[in-house]
Each structure stands twice: as structure tokens, then as C-alpha cells.
């Protein structure tokens, strides 16, 4: 019996090298665990029937001595990342039967490394949500407490990893969708610098914000995945060329800024206490903690909820009952559009299409959209200014711990508040890592997050590993 709970990517790799088990045996162990646990968790929407064949190919690489760290590692993939020949539904009825005609760049890279794709995971419809409750395919449960949500929108990937029915997982972030579920499920989640990892082959939500983002059981695992995926890709016009990624190497990376003023938006008491304890641990480990002010960041959610729906409304225009996916018949073209979109999209997707169409409409464009774009620039500028003085910005990842299934569904604004600390990194494009920081008396995970300057994921891995040591 392989002890799946104890495995990390590096440990599994070592065991595969030593011949303690094969890729096929490892994949088979996960498939067995999936059979047992997935009916309750609903982390996966589909298990790929070629998983064992993929594992055989990986075993061959070990025999040929061409295996690398990720060869044979069983992955869970969010349902909005294209894998050629497989369905990618983005958690929506409108794409229920849509089969991808090509591989996303991240999938191509993972295939080259010889990973095993176990299946595609549940998510909020088109990645809109913070709890994986807006999926057309039912809710996903948090493996730590199955009466609670796993977070979202990448909740299926988080639940798969935390429930030991995958060894690694990919999600996507537009605003917190990997860091927040990492926090709720006790995982590490990395939102890379915008432009570091290719978006080619990702079903778009808000293009100027979307980023493929890895989950890991520990910091090293997210680092391994990031190192493989981070590269320039000509297929994505927003992918940053290698020569523009160069960063100056700082000698001192010990100064952490905390924007306490952001706490005024409301943080649960136990989350605030855990945050203070984490700060004390960092101080003891030799870090200098200073107060910083990033005043415009308090408007980041307001700006996000204008920019994102604007992009959503244009991105989702292509789902019209003619070109892609679900189609509902009608007497003329307009009726096909209307009824396909009305029946194919869920409530949250429809809400955001309406909002986005409104903020982009003639007469409101300047009042809303253009203003939000200006606020976004201010936020980016103040964060870059803050980084002239500090190496990291530290906040809690989410103002609360995992909430109960069904909660917040009738109050979208309280759901949106889950992202209060995530939004500044997404809007400014800087990288951010969510790290487990202990458990509540109820046994629910706490989490803190660090932001670093653009392309300084290395700093996040460095402090992340240090924080793991001092837990
Ligand atoms: N909670 C965010 C939203 O609802 C999550 C978006 C995301 O990161 N995909 O928009």
C-alpha cells in the first residue's frame, strides 16, 4: 500500500527512481482512492480512462532514464484548461459536450514532462465564484470538513489534492481562485506574475487577469510546477518574453510590509489572531515587519467587479448556440441566441454578463469602465512604490475560514468579500503565495499570503519554505 497522504512530488519521484513503486502502481492507487472518495467530494467531473496508459508511458521514461521530477506524477486539472480530445466544460452547461481540439500550452508542457492526467475537476461556472457552488454539475465538498465548501473557483482541484485523490493540481486565478481554495483546504497556492505562465488554451474569464496557477501540498511542489510552466509562449500575446523577466537581485529580502488599514473591511477575529501569531513567528525568525499604506487597494474589489464583468461579457459572447456547445432551437437566429444563452448559462454567469454589458455601454463606459481602469493603474503604482521599501507584502489570504455549504449563496456581495485580500495582486499583476498557517479550534485551516514584486516568485518560494520551517 502506498501512503498517499505522506507523498509529495519529490518523495514520489524518489520512490519511482528507487523502484519502490511504478508509475502504473501509483496511478492505480490514486484511481482506487478516487473510487472511494470522489462520490462524496465531487472533486472530479470526469476521470480519464487512459490514466493507466499515460502511466505506462511514464514508466517507459524511467526505464529509458529520461524521466524528470514530474514524470509519472498524477495531476488533477481544472475543467477550463484544454486537453485535446477531452471535454472542457468550465463547469457550465453551455459547454457540456465541448471537446477541446488542441492542448493548452501548460498541458503540452506537462505532457512533455510525462505527467499523468487523472481527470478534470469541478469549478464555479466559468470560474465565477469563491466556493464551487455555481457549477452546473453540483457542489464540491471540502475534504477537511465535508459540510463546508472547498473555496473556489478552483475548488475541485483543491479538494482533489487535499483529499489525497491527486498528487498535484492546476487551477486558474482571475481573483483569488487558487489562493482562496488553498486557504480553505490547507494547501499552498501560487498566483504567478501576470504574463509568466501561458494562458493559451484556457477558457477565458477576464483575460487581463486570468493566470494558470498551481496548487501544492507544500511550497516545493508549487515551485516544481511553476518552474516547468513559467516560460515565454508565442501563442499568448500577453506572455512576457524571457529578456524582460530579468530582475535585479537584492541582497536583503527580510523586510515585510503589512497594510493593516485593509483589515477595516472586516476580518474574522480568529483569522486576525492567527495572522498576528504568524507575524510573531516571522519576527522571531529575523524578519523585520513594518506598517505600509496602500490606500487605493481598498478599492480593488470595486475595480475588479467592473473590469472582470466587462471582460466576461465580451468573452462569453462567443457562446451563442451556433459556434460552440449547447444550442437550443428557435424560429430564427435571434431566438436561438436568446434561448441557448438563457438556458445554457447559470445565474451568476448571466448576472455578470448583464453587469459587464452595462459598464461597457455607451454613456456608462467613462463613468465605470474607464474609471476602474484608472483605479487599477493607481493600485499597481502604489504597490510598486511599496516594493521600493519592502521585499514582501503580507496579509491573511481570506478574511474567514471555510464556510458551510449553502452559505453566502443568496448574498453575492458577501461572497465577493472573500477576495478582499486577493484582488490587489491580481489587479497589479504581482505574484502571490498562500501558505497554511495553522488550524482553528474547529480544525479548519488558516492561511497567510505574501506578495512580491513582478517576477520575484523566487522570493515567495524562499520565504514560503522558511515559514514552513517555523510553523
Ligand atoms: N471569487 C472570484 C470571482 O468570483 C474568483 C474569480 C477567479 O479567480 N476565477 O470572480
Amino acid at each position: 500500500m502506498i501512503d498517499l497522504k505522506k507523498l509529495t512530488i519529490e518523495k514520489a519521484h524518489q520512490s519511482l527512481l528507487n523502484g519502490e513503486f511504478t508509475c502504473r502502481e501509483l496511478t492505480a492507487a490514486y484511481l482506487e482512492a478516487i473510487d472511494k472518495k470522489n462520490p462524496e467530494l465531487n472533486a472530479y467531473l470526469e476521470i480519464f480512462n487512459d490514466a493507466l496508459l499515460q502511466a505506462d508511458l511514464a514508466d517507459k521514461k524511467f526505464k529509458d532514464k529520461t524521466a524528470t521530477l514530474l514524470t509519472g506524477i498524477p495531476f488533477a486539472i481544472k475543467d477550463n484548461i484544454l486537453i485535446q480530445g477531452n471535454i472542457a466544460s468550465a463547469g457550465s452547461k453551455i459547454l457540456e459536450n465541448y471537446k477541446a481540439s488542441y492542448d493548452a500550452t501548460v498541458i503540452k508542457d506537462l505532457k512533455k514532462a510525462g505527467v499523468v492526467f487523472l481527470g478534470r475537476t469541478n469549478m464555479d461556472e466559468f470560474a465565477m465564484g469563491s466556493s464551487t457552488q455555481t457549477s452546473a454539475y453540483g457542489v464540491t465538498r471540502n475534504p477537511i470538513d465535508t459540510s463546508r465548501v472547498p473555496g473556489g473557483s478552483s475548488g475541485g482541484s483543491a479538494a482533489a489534492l487535499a483529499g489525497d485523490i491527486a498528487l498535484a493540481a492546476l487551477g486558474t486565478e482571475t481573483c483569488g481562485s487558487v489562493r482562496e481554495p488553498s486557504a480553505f483546504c490547507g494547501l499552498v497556492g501560487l498566483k504567478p506574475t501576470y504574463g509568466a505562465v501561458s494562458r493559451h488554451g484556457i477558457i477565458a474569464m477576464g483575460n487581463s487577469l486570468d493566470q494558470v496557477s498551481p496548487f501544492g501540498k507544500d511550497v516545493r511542489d508549487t515551485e516544481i510546477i511553476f518552474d516547468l510552466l513559467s516560460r515565454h509562449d508565442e501563442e499568448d500575446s500577453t506572455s512576457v518574453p524571457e529578456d524582460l523577466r530579468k530582475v535585479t537581485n537584492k541582497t536583503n529580502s527580510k523586510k515585510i510590509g503589512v497594510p493593516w488599514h485593509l483589515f477595516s473591511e472586516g476580518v474574522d477575529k480568529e483569522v486576525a489572531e492567527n495572522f498576528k501569531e504568524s507575524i510573531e513567528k516571522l519576527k522571531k525568525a529575523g524578519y523585520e515587519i513594518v506598517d505600509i499604506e496602500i490606500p487605493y487597494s481598498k478599492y480593488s474589489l470595486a475595480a475588479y467587479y467592473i473590469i472582470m464583468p466587462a471582460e466576461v461579457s465580451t468573452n462569453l459572447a462567443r457562446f451563442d448556440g451556433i459556434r460552440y456547445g449547447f444550442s437550443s432551437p428557435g424560429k430564427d437566429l435571434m431566438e436561438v441566441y436568446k434561448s441557448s444563452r438563457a438556458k445554457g448559462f447559470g445565474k451568476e454567469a448571466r448576472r455578470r454578463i448583464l453587469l459587464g454589458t452595462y459598464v461597457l455601454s455607451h454613456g456608462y463606459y467613462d463613468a465605470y469602465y474607464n474609471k476602474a481602469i484608472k483605479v487599477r493603474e493607481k493600485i499597481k503604482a502604489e504597490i510598486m512604490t511599496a516594493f521600493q521599501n519592502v521585499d514582501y507584502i503580507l496579509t491573511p489570504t481570506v478574511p474567514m475560514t471555510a464556510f458551510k455549504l449553502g452559505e453566502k449563496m443568496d448574498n453575492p456581495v458577501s461572497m465577493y468579500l472573500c477576495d478582499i485580500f486577493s484582488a490587489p495582486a491580481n489587479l497589479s499583476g504581482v505574484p502571490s503565495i498562500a501558505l497554511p498557517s495553522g488550524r482553528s479550534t474547529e480544525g479548519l485551516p488558516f492561511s497567510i499570503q505574501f506578495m512580491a514584486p513582478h517576477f520575484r516568485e523566487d522570493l515567495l518560494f524562499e520565504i514560503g519554505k522558511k515559514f514552513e520551517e517555523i510553523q
Side-chain angles (χ1 to χ4, degrees), residues 130-247:
S130 304
S131 60
T132 316
Q133 295 183 98
T134 69
S135 166
Y137 308 101
V139 302
T140 293
R141 290 172 185 274
N142 188 325
I144 293 168
D145 174 347
T146 53
S147 70
R148 293 177 188 271
V149 302
S153 62
S154 317
S157 287
L161 188 57
D164 291 308
I165 49 176
L167 181 48
L170 285 192
T172 58
E173 275 226 12
T174 307
C175 183
S177 274
V178 161
R179 283 169 290 157
E180 188 245 17
S182 297
F184 283 6
C185 293
L187 299 167
V188 176
L190 171 78
K191 198 288 288 180
T193 305
Y194 184 81
V197 176
S198 171
R199 289 183 302 111
H200 178 65
I202 309 308
I203 298 176
M205 176 183 172
N207 317 44
S208 76
L209 299 152
D210 297 341
Q211 281 294 272
V212 174
S213 305
F215 289 99
K217 286 194 188 174
D218 61 14
V219 173
R220 177 68 185 134
D221 280 5
T222 56
E223 182 182 19
I224 293 170
I225 302 168
F226 173 76
D227 283 348
L228 183 87
L229 301 184
S230 167
R231 68 168 176 92
H232 177 240
D233 180 17
E234 281 184 357
E235 306 279 3
D236 172 2
S237 62
T238 58
S239 168
V240 176
E242 300 299 339
D243 55 333
L244 299 179
R245 299 181 179 211
K246 294 215 172 68
V247 288

Side-chain angles (χ1 to χ4, degrees), residues 78 80 124 126-131 152-154 172-178 180 205 210 304-305 308 348 352 415-416 418-419 426:
K78 190 177 180 181
N80 60 352
D124 282 297
F126 285 105
M128 301 172 191
S130 304
S131 60
S153 62
S154 317
T172 58
E173 275 226 12
T174 307
C175 183
S177 274
V178 161
E180 188 245 17
M205 176 183 172
D210 297 341
Y304 171 71
Y305 275 95
M308 172 274 297
E348 187 62 25
R352 296 190 190 197
M415 187 74 88
Y416 297 169
C418 296
D419 300 321
N426 299 91

Side-chain angles (χ1 to χ4, degrees), residues 137-394:
Y137 308 101
V139 302
T140 293
R141 290 172 185 274
N142 188 325
I144 293 168
D145 174 347
T146 53
S147 70
R148 293 177 188 271
V149 302
S153 62
S154 317
S157 287
L161 188 57
D164 291 308
I165 49 176
L167 181 48
L170 285 192
T172 58
E173 275 226 12
T174 307
C175 183
S177 274
V178 161
R179 283 169 290 157
E180 188 245 17
S182 297
F184 283 6
C185 293
L187 299 167
V188 176
L190 171 78
K191 198 288 288 180
T193 305
Y194 184 81
V197 176
S198 171
R199 289 183 302 111
H200 178 65
I202 309 308
I203 298 176
M205 176 183 172
N207 317 44
S208 76
L209 299 152
D210 297 341
Q211 281 294 272
V212 174
S213 305
F215 289 99
K217 286 194 188 174
D218 61 14
V219 173
R220 177 68 185 134
D221 280 5
T222 56
E223 182 182 19
I224 293 170
I225 302 168
F226 173 76
D227 283 348
L228 183 87
L229 301 184
S230 167
R231 68 168 176 92
H232 177 240
D233 180 17
E234 281 184 357
E235 306 279 3
D236 172 2
S237 62
T238 58
S239 168
V240 176
E242 300 299 339
D243 55 333
L244 299 179
R245 299 181 179 211
K246 294 215 172 68
V247 288
T248 46
N249 247 341
K250 285 198 202 164
T251 44
N252 169 20
S253 52
K254 289 252 165 191
K255 200 165 165 188
I256 301 171
V258 179
W260 284 106
H261 61 93
L262 288 181
F263 279 61
S264 64
E265 308 298 311
V267 175
D268 279 5
K269 201 166 152 248
E270 53 175 10
V271 170
E273 266 160 26
N274 171 268
F275 184 70
K276 284 180 199 148
E277 284 163 22
S278 302
I279 285 185
E280 287 313 311
K281 287 179 188 165
L282 287 160
K283 275 187 190 158
K284 263 194 208 137
Y287 289 91
E288 184 190 351
I289 314 280
V290 297
D291 286 5
I292 56 162
E293 300 267 335
I294 41 173
Y296 283 105
S297 292
K298 87 163 182 240
Y299 301 115
S300 53
L301 267 191
Y304 171 71
Y305 275 95
I306 289 173
I307 295 166
M308 172 274 297
E311 295 185 15
V312 160
S313 74
T314 55
N315 277 324
L316 269 50
R318 64 178 71 112
F319 305 108
D320 56 6
I322 302 289
R323 284 176 288 191
Y324 287 91
F326 177 78
S327 183
S328 170
K331 68 173 183 338
D332 56 24
L333 185 62
M334 194 49 90
E335 212 173 81
V336 173
Y337 286 165
K338 281 187 184 166
S339 77
S340 303
R341 288 169 67 81
K343 291 181 195 152
F345 288 129
K347 199 167 150 189
E348 187 62 25
R350 289 203 303 272
R351 177 170 17 237
R352 296 190 190 197
I353 291 169
L354 288 171
L355 273 172
T357 309
Y358 182 79
V359 301
L360 288 178
S361 62
H362 182 71
Y364 291 105
Y365 193 95
D366 276 337
Y368 292 108
Y369 184 71
N370 267 345
K371 209 180 261 174
I373 294 293
K374 284 182 195 153
V375 171
R376 180 185 193 164
E377 286 309 311
K378 292 267 185 208
I379 293 169
K380 191 173 170 189
E382 75 181 3
I383 287 178
M384 290 176 74
T385 307
F387 280 131
Q388 289 174 359
N389 272 319
V390 297
D391 305 293
Y392 302 99
I393 296 174
L394 174 66

